[in-house]
Amino acid sequence: MANQGDTGLIIDPFYATYPTTLRSAGLKPKMVRTVPEDNFIPSVSELTKNAKNAKTLLINSPNNPTGTVYDKSNLFEISKVAIENDLWVISDEVYDTQIWVGKHISIRSVANMENRTAVIGSMSKSHAMTGSRLGWVVAPEQVIEKLSDLACNTNYGVPGFIQDAGLYALTQMPNIEKTVAEPFFRRREIAQKIIKECPYIRMHPSLGGMYLMLDIRATGLNGIEFSKALLEATNIAVMPGESFGESSAGHIRVAMTISDDKFEYATRSICSFASNFTTSTN
Amino acid sequence: MANQGDTGLIIDPFYATYPTTLRSAGLKPKMVRTVPEDNFIPSVSELTKNAKNAKTLLINSPNNPTGTVYDKSNLFEISKVAIENDLWVISDEVYDTQIWVGKHISIRSVANMENRTAVIGSMSKSHAMTGSRLGWVVAPEQVIEKLSDLACNTNYGVPGFIQDAGLYALTQMPNIEKTVAEPFFRRREIAQKIIKECPYIRMHPSLGGMYLMLDIRATGLNGIEFSKALLEATNIAVMPGESFGESSAGHIRVAMTISDDKFEYATRSICSFASNFTTSTN
């Protein structure tokens, strides 16, 4: 895909380890900025501007941290830029079973993308097997050969008994996926109702995945300040948007990974906490 | 320890993935030859000759594939070369609980080696947890920091439930180690008795580990020819010495990992198979 020192593009906001993962493979990470007003979907102009001299583009839909899901036309635009600039696309699709609106489309299925796409899959999210480190890559044969060599010379692959567990989980399809995904859909609806009534917080649509991105810029605080103050005042931990890149500054990321009642209580607390702040600034 | 393109030394014979493991970290592997007559222990002259311009030296005692165990004076000589040439020593000690003669000494315990040694440990052999991929490195803090970064950006480390299993196994110490090691000691004794009576095969002492290195040069065959013919004639699989480097050409490596009765039968079969060959060449 690329050689030592080549540039690899990442859509900002991004999952926190993406830049260092590219660096550990010898690539120079470069961020493609997005804006909250476009729901963090990369524009053709930003993509094109950065694609010169780059070799790879890492995308993630459904997205952690934003909950954004790329639709057919988004993926078509991305594929056009990839083909024009001869980029490999690394498509992290680990949240593919958690779609709340529309449906999941892999960029690998877009015309002429099959030979320049590596799709990352995992049992972590779809089957709640996060701790098992069980995943896969779908890519052209020459890429798989290299990955196979790498696995053989680092850790020899995934323990056999974990592969057995994965096989068992896969044979329970598709109901187990729905069972795992359903609580996040439910909690997203809880949050939608609460945040709609919350004047100083805007919730991004969150079309998929287990995270919500909340715009807290109306409080006058940045994401780091807000998260820190929230933690101290309420013992509720959220991630500042800034930890996922500059594009999500002034936001906080909420993980919907606690029970419904705790989640509802925490969401209400975040809302009233935000209101306090704006009262004092207004 | 080293930078892209630096040379890393490996003692030949070596475990088959060592060269590619170094290469995957960007090092150029270089072999330090040994001879069967010295029981595959590296000489100071060979080490010194290769140490110029090298940055790391990978050693493995008890040794796979030879069963060689480095004693105090071997380790002292190696340490002298390492210090004089400013080499890091990577010491693979995963067979440290399987010593049949003498005792295991880590090169890290040799004077002035603590700050230039990384010891590789594992539950694979000591606790028969091969499939779990659970191991560790003992090294100076700056090395551990880099390894920790690498783990974080590749697979996030070992699954928690495997770490729990490892912790359980470690609290059963030391008896579980003896229980796991004992069959290999027993089978080594079986092999010693059989091979002593076998005129065309010489058995290296095998001071530790779960493998035997048998010198089959008297048969007139090399290790690859012998292994292939043996497999076809008897369905017994051994590894040709050549797959571990040039120093163990004309040898075969026997894994003592089958039940005592099968092992005894297989060893006798190897012996009579070798005798057939020499009759035809004599």
Side-chain angles (χ1 to χ4, degrees):
Chain A
M1 284 191 184
N3 292 311
Q4 290 279 332
D6 283 341
T7 296
L9 302 181
I10 296 173
I11 311 295
D12 183 338
F14 50 84
Y15 182 57
T17 61
Y18 281 174
T20 43
T21 300
L22 289 194
R23 268 190 221 115
S24 73
L27 289 181
K28 271 188 270 180
K30 192 177 179 191
M31 307 309 158
V32 177
R33 292 289 297 269
T34 62
V35 292
E37 290 65 31
D38 291 342
N39 200 23
F40 303 109
I41 290 169
S43 70
V44 173
S45 61
E46 271 299 311
L47 282 167
T48 305
K49 198 176 79 186
N50 288 286
K52 323 271 174 228
N53 305 318
K55 291 288 168 63
T56 65
L57 167 64
L58 175 49
I59 64 173
N60 169 223
S61 170
N63 188 271
N64 175 9
T66 62
T68 299
V69 173
Y70 297 167
D71 67 17
K72 213 169 172 172
S73 94
N74 304 141
L75 293 169
F76 179 71
E77 287 179 344
I78 294 169
S79 77
K80 258 186 66 180
V81 176
I83 292 166
E84 274 165 19
N85 294 277
D86 198 18
L87 302 181
W88 278 91
V89 173
I90 303 161
S91 183
D92 177 353
E93 302 179 15
V94 302
Y95 297 98
D96 62 349
T97 60
Q98 301 178 359
I99 297 273
W100 320 133
V101 180
K103 60 169 188 162
H104 174 71
I105 306 170
S106 173
I107 194 163
R108 188 171 179 273
S109 68
V110 175
N112 301 314
M113 286 304 292
E114 193 180 319
N115 290 325
R116 57 173 71 251
T117 304
V119 176
I120 314 292
S122 164
M123 306 289 286
S124 289
K125 315 301 178 183
S126 58
H127 293 73
M129 289 177 67
T130 306
S132 295
R133 324 310 307 148
L134 182 58
W136 57 84
V137 179
V138 179
E141 210 169 325
Q142 73 269 29
V143 173
I144 299 299
E145 272 169 17
K146 297 280 183 192
L147 288 173
S148 176
D149 284 349
L150 181 64
C152 179
N153 288 291
T154 49
N155 63 1
Y156 297 79
V158 176
F161 54 85
I162 292 182
Q163 295 188 45
D164 291 344
L167 192 61
Y168 174 81
L170 285 172
T171 58
Q172 310 302 302
M173 295 258 279
N175 287 341
I176 198 172
E177 294 185 346
K178 283 185 192 154
T179 308
V180 171
E182 202 268 332
F184 304 114
F185 177 73
R186 219 167 50 218
R187 289 167 204 154
R188 170 182 169 270
E189 299 222 301
I190 292 171
Q192 277 179 326
K193 269 183 213 149
I194 296 169
I195 302 296
K196 201 191 291 175
E197 310 297 322
C198 182
Y200 303 107
I201 298 185
R202 192 173 73 87
M203 176 171 149
H204 280 277
S206 181
L207 307 178
M210 47 176 77
Y211 308 102
L212 301 178
M213 193 57 109
L214 303 183
D215 184 342
I216 50 90
R217 288 176 291 182
T219 64
L221 300 181
N222 68 32
I224 297 168
E225 292 162 344
F226 187 97
S227 303
K228 208 171 164 184
L230 179 72
L231 182 63
E232 276 165 14
T234 67
N235 282 328
I236 296 170
V238 298
M239 291 284 284
E242 286 80 355
S243 48
F244 303 99
E246 293 173 40
S247 299
S248 46
H251 289 70
I252 57 169
R253 192 202 68 166
V254 172
M256 299 187 282
T257 48
I258 51 174
S259 66
D260 290 19
D261 53 340
K262 280 188 179 165
F263 180 75
E264 180 168 349
Y265 174 79
T267 309
R268 287 194 195 283
S269 303
I270 291 171
C271 185
S272 50
F273 179 77
S275 309
N276 287 341
F277 264 93
T278 49
T279 319
S280 68
T281 18
N282 283 355
Chain B
M1 284 190 184
N3 291 311
Q4 290 280 331
D6 283 341
T7 296
L9 302 182
I10 296 173
I11 311 294
D12 182 339
F14 50 85
Y15 182 58
T17 61
Y18 281 174
T20 43
T21 300
L22 289 193
R23 267 190 221 115
S24 73
L27 289 179
K28 271 187 270 178
K30 192 177 180 192
M31 306 309 157
V32 177
R33 292 288 297 268
T34 62
V35 291
E37 290 66 30
D38 292 342
N39 201 23
F40 303 109
I41 289 169
S43 70
V44 173
S45 61
E46 272 298 312
L47 282 167
T48 305
K49 199 176 81 185
N50 288 286
K52 323 269 174 230
N53 305 319
K55 292 286 168 65
T56 65
L57 166 64
L58 175 49
I59 64 172
N60 170 223
S61 171
N63 188 272
N64 175 11
T66 64
T68 298
V69 172
Y70 297 168
D71 67 17
K72 213 169 171 173
S73 93
N74 303 142
L75 293 169
F76 179 71
E77 287 179 341
I78 293 169
S79 76
K80 258 185 66 179
V81 176
I83 292 166
E84 273 165 18
N85 294 276
D86 198 19
L87 301 180
W88 278 91
V89 174
I90 303 160
S91 183
D92 176 352
E93 301 179 15
V94 302
Y95 297 98
D96 62 350
T97 59
Q98 301 178 359
I99 297 273
W100 320 133
V101 180
K103 60 170 189 161
H104 174 71
I105 306 170
S106 172
I107 194 163
R108 187 170 180 273
S109 68
V110 175
N112 302 312
M113 286 305 292
E114 194 180 318
N115 291 325
R116 58 173 70 252
T117 304
V119 176
I120 314 293
S122 164
M123 306 288 287
S124 289
K125 315 301 177 182
S126 57
H127 293 73
M129 290 176 68
T130 305
S132 296
R133 324 312 304 148
L134 181 59
W136 56 86
V137 179
V138 179
E141 210 168 327
Q142 74 270 28
V143 173
I144 299 299
E145 272 170 16
K146 296 279 183 192
L147 288 173
S148 177
D149 284 350
L150 181 65
C152 178
N153 288 291
T154 50
N155 62 2
Y156 297 78
V158 175
F161 54 85
I162 292 183
Q163 295 189 45
D164 291 344
L167 191 61
Y168 174 82
L170 285 171
T171 58
Q172 310 301 302
M173 294 258 280
N175 286 341
I176 198 171
E177 294 185 347
K178 284 185 191 154
T179 309
V180 171
E182 202 269 333
F184 304 115
F185 177 73
R186 218 167 51 218
R187 289 167 203 153
R188 169 182 170 269
E189 299 223 300
I190 292 170
Q192 277 179 326
K193 271 182 210 148
I194 296 169
I195 302 296
K196 201 192 290 177
E197 308 297 319
C198 182
Y200 303 108
I201 297 184
R202 191 174 74 87
M203 177 172 148
H204 281 278
S206 181
L207 307 178
M210 46 175 79
Y211 308 102
L212 301 176
M213 193 57 110
L214 304 183
D215 183 342
I216 51 87
R217 288 177 290 183
T219 64
L221 300 182
N222 68 33
I224 297 168
E225 292 162 343
F226 187 96
S227 303
K228 207 170 165 184
L230 178 72
L231 182 62
E232 277 165 12
T234 68
N235 283 327
I236 296 169
V238 298
M239 289 286 283
E242 286 81 355
S243 47
F244 303 98
E246 293 173 39
S247 299
S248 46
H251 289 69
I252 57 170
R253 192 201 67 166
V254 172
M256 299 186 283
T257 47
I258 50 174
S259 65
D260 290 19
D261 55 338
K262 281 188 179 164
F263 180 76
E264 179 168 351
Y265 174 78
T267 309
R268 287 195 194 284
S269 303
I270 291 170
C271 185
S272 51
F273 179 78
S275 309
N276 287 340
F277 264 93
T278 49
T279 321
S280 67
T281 16
N282 284 355

